[in-house]
Amino acid sequence: MVDLEPHRNADELVRRLTDALGPRGVSTDAHELEPLITDWRGRWKGATPVLVKPASTAEAAAAVSICSAMGFPMTPQGGNSGLVNGGVPYGEVLISMRRMDKVREVDPLNDSMILEAGVILTRAQETAAAHGRFFPLSLGAEGVATIGGLVSTNAGGVAVLRYGMMRDLVLGIEAVLPDGRIWNGLRGLRKDNTGYDLKHLFIGGEGTLGVVTAASLKLFPAPALRQTAWAVVGSCEDAVACLALAKAYTGGAVTGFELIPAFGLDLVMKHIPGVRDPLPSSAPWRVLMEISLARPEGARDVIEGCLGAAAEAGLISDAVIAESEAQARMLWKIRENIAVAERAHGKALKHDVSVPVSRLPEFMSRAEGLVRRLAPGADIIAFGHVGDGNMHYNVTPPPGADQDAFLEGEGLIVSRAVHDLVCDLNGSISAEHGIGRLKRDELAARKSPVEMDMMRAIKAALDPRGLMNPGRVL
Ligand SMILES: Cc1cc2nc3c(=O)[nH]c(=O)nc-3n(C[C@H](O)[C@H](O)[C@H](O)COP(=O)(O)OP(=O)(O)OC[C@H]3O[C@@H](n4cnc5c(N)ncnc54)[C@H](O)[C@@H]3O)c2cc1C
């Protein structure tokens, strides 16, 4: 690993970078740097000798070549919405990809598009829609998260159940390697069995193997009709059973199935303007379900029949179907703002975990027992993607407690216990947010030595001097 102490030749670095990228491509302005060296939750603050803002792949390659030649470590960054402290620099040169925001190509007949790394997810969705296609990735940070960040964290979100994670949506990658060489792997092919599939190293690579500069992404037919429903549920068991019923009833047309705790709903209503409870109830859980159908005919019957069957089976006690796009958006607004409301409520211990869907109820009840025992009075905000077995099992300190002391003290014991439980259930300690700096030690402690050796061998082969996002993941 390289030395992260401030380098004496930083002035020379800035001079060379400015020569290569021009003044718009380089900054040391403290006001501009401030939001980029602080993470989304305001929990971590880093530092950087210089911010680099390439506007093209050639500029990104030039910047990386210069940093590499001078031995400066680098941290790539997109929207800085990552939640595992992976994109905030700690002495590294910060490479912000936001200026690389071109739509290079849309090929509707091939159902693909090529976007640069800095394109924001909402724009990717709009670009697909403008061509009569659908790009299914959707998540709470979609107004800021970039294609490069989404690729590099293998982002998930609310439509994984039907369309998969980013890994399933990427056809090809263009990247700058740690030594400054450009790899153009932007193939728009569904079939390509020509040796190792290298793009998968960069998907979920969290910027440790290079800078992703563009991606070729899969497009889908736009669903003719989406129906969104909100249901009141008495337990996690009922939610999981309702999911199975909905998948069978709709012939696999469920595109989203999210679990929302009553406490999370209360927080959203408290902190987000204009949100009200769609179906007031004292029940502990709500389910937000979306089904997508190729034809509009009979769609209403499908969702009504599905909810009716769930009610008959005693799985839901009440339900409402969105009557318009605006109503559907309002329901999704609740789900997407839980993390935002949680942030307003307090600093949280975040557990982005997954277990087999069938074991989710067991996880929820055992995890609650652990938190109640280890951190009495703490609030549990557990929500997320039931359909993927992925829960955001977050815990905020007891009211009145010193939040930082909690996170660094008993919170660590809670996290270890939650992760032990996840492993006991054959789950994952990072379902979709990645490892970053936050879970690096956990990863090393929980992966098998063989798996860690293979990962380190890949890192050493592509980045022998450890210059690219050091201290993240490995
Ligand atoms: C409110 C909220 C809701 C969220 N919901 C979800 C969710 O449902 N599902 C989910 O998966 N995530 C979710 N996230 C997490 C986050 O949005 C994703 O991790 C997203 O992919 C990060 O994109 P970004 O552009 O902000 O990346 P950044 O935060 O800038 O970077 C993330 C990581 O990728 C690396 N990186 C960024 N760009 C590049 C690049 N071009 N080349 C190489 N490495 C790069 C960084 O070094 C860092 O390690 C949520 C976050 C928030 C704040």
Side-chain angles (χ1 to χ4, degrees):
M1 278 301 149
V2 292
D3 174 14
L4 287 185
E5 291 303 307
H7 291 253
R8 270 172 305 198
N9 50 2
D11 290 344
E12 172 66 7
L13 173 75
V14 173
R15 194 190 59 72
R16 283 208 219 168
L17 287 169
T18 309
D19 282 352
L21 275 69
R24 284 193 67 205
V26 181
S27 174
T28 51
D29 176 68
H31 289 293
E32 189 175 359
L33 290 179
E34 178 65 23
L36 307 186
I37 59 172
T38 311
D39 87 298
W40 184 82
R41 285 187 279 163
R43 190 171 162 194
W44 299 291
K45 186 163 179 182
T48 183
V50 57
L51 166 67
V52 190
K53 301 175 284 181
S56 66
T57 303
E59 285 191 5
V64 172
S65 296
I66 291 166
C67 293
S68 174
M70 295 182 71
F72 273 86
M74 297 155 261
T75 292
Q77 190 186 81
N80 196 18
S81 69
L83 297 173
V84 291
N85 200 10
V88 171
Y90 287 81
E92 298 90 353
V93 172
L94 180 58
I95 304 180
S96 169
M97 298 304 289
R98 293 190 208 185
R99 282 181 74 212
M100 282 197 65
D101 64 352
K102 290 186 197 62
V103 174
R104 289 198 192 160
E105 176 190 298
V106 181
D107 185 347
L109 290 181
N110 191 49
D111 279 324
S112 63
M113 62 180 175
I114 296 177
L115 305 182
E116 288 189 342
V119 172
I120 305 285
L121 177 53
T122 43
R123 192 162 152 237
Q125 296 161 344
E126 287 159 11
T127 302
H131 290 80
R133 296 293 185 273
F134 180 56
F135 184 63
L137 196 79
S138 174
L139 44 82
E142 61 195 21
V144 288
T146 62
I147 293 302
L150 295 157
V151 167
S152 302
T153 59
N154 184 26
V158 295
V160 172
L161 186 56
R162 172 80 166 269
Y163 296 99
M165 306 220 2
M166 197 57 168
R167 192 177 296 288
D168 303 295
L169 303 174
V170 174
L171 293 168
I173 292 280
E174 177 189 81
V176 175
L177 303 185
D179 60 8
R181 283 180 298 162
I182 297 168
W183 172 51
N184 185 340
L186 282 175
R187 301 180 193 98
L189 303 173
R190 263 93 183 159
K191 290 190 166 182
D192 178 17
N193 276 347
T194 50
Y196 302 138
D197 198 340
L198 297 173
K199 65 175 178 287
H200 286 298
L201 295 177
F202 295 86
I203 304 170
E206 299 188 41
T208 60
L209 299 179
V211 182
V212 174
T213 47
S216 173
L217 302 169
K218 277 186 200 167
L219 297 175
F220 295 83
L225 195 83
R226 263 182 277 175
Q227 293 270 13
T228 309
W230 176 272
V232 176
V233 187
S235 68
C236 188
E237 282 88 345
D238 286 350
V240 167
C242 184
L243 167 69
L245 182 149
K247 285 201 282 194
Y249 194 98
T250 63
V254 182
T255 36
F257 199 93
E258 300 287 311
L259 187 66
I260 296 166
F263 182 58
L265 172 61
D266 289 344
L267 287 181
V268 175
M269 288 194 293
K270 183 172 169 193
H271 296 290
I272 308 295
V275 173
R276 61 176 183 78
D277 189 345
L279 278 179
S281 159
S282 58
W285 299 102
R286 310 289 185 274
V287 151
L288 178 61
M289 176 169 80
E290 184 179 271
I291 63 167
S292 303
L293 297 157
R295 306 250 40 95
E297 299 85 27
R300 182 81 187 190
D301 293 345
V302 174
I303 192 140
E304 275 181 3
C306 175
L307 292 171
E312 215 162 278
L315 302 176
I316 61 175
S317 57
D318 203 355
V320 62
I321 300 169
E323 297 291 345
S324 62
E325 251 316 295
Q327 280 186 8
R329 269 202 303 276
M330 185 49 83
L331 295 178
W332 276 107
K333 183 177 171 182
I334 298 173
R335 163 62 187 88
E336 281 158 4
N337 276 294
I338 299 177
V340 181
E342 175 197 278
R343 186 166 66 157
H345 181 61
K347 292 184 180 173
L349 281 176
K350 301 246 182 198
H351 307 103
D352 162 39
V353 299
S354 63
V355 296
V357 176
S358 52
R359 306 201 74 177
L360 210 48
E362 182 186 350
F363 167 75
M364 296 292 265
S365 90
R366 285 175 64 184
E368 183 176 354
L370 288 171
V371 175
R372 299 280 173 246
R373 183 165 56 80
L374 295 171
D379 286 320
I380 299 171
I381 307 164
F383 61 97
H385 319 296
V386 175
D388 317 320
N390 174 197
M391 274 294 126
H392 298 304
Y393 199 90
N394 300 340
V395 179
T396 52
D402 178 330
Q403 303 202 353
D404 291 320
F406 175 82
L407 294 182
E408 299 306 328
E410 57 195 313
L412 297 178
I413 298 167
V414 172
S415 287
R416 198 168 314 122
V418 169
H419 287 157
D420 284 347
L421 171 60
V422 165
C423 292
D424 191 40
L425 297 174
N426 213 7
S428 167
I429 60 158
S430 181
E432 59 177 10
H433 295 160
I435 299 297
R437 287 165 65 98
L438 183 67
K439 293 188 184 168
R440 185 178 166 232
D441 294 343
E442 281 284 279
L443 185 85
R446 293 178 189 277
K447 285 244 182 210
S448 74
V450 174
E451 211 166 345
M452 290 303 294
D453 277 355
M454 287 195 288
M455 285 172 59
R456 289 191 187 108
I458 291 167
K459 170 76 175 171
L462 288 181
D463 185 17
R465 289 185 296 151
L467 289 175
M468 201 49 84
N469 225 4
R472 282 72 168 179
V473 185
L474 291 175

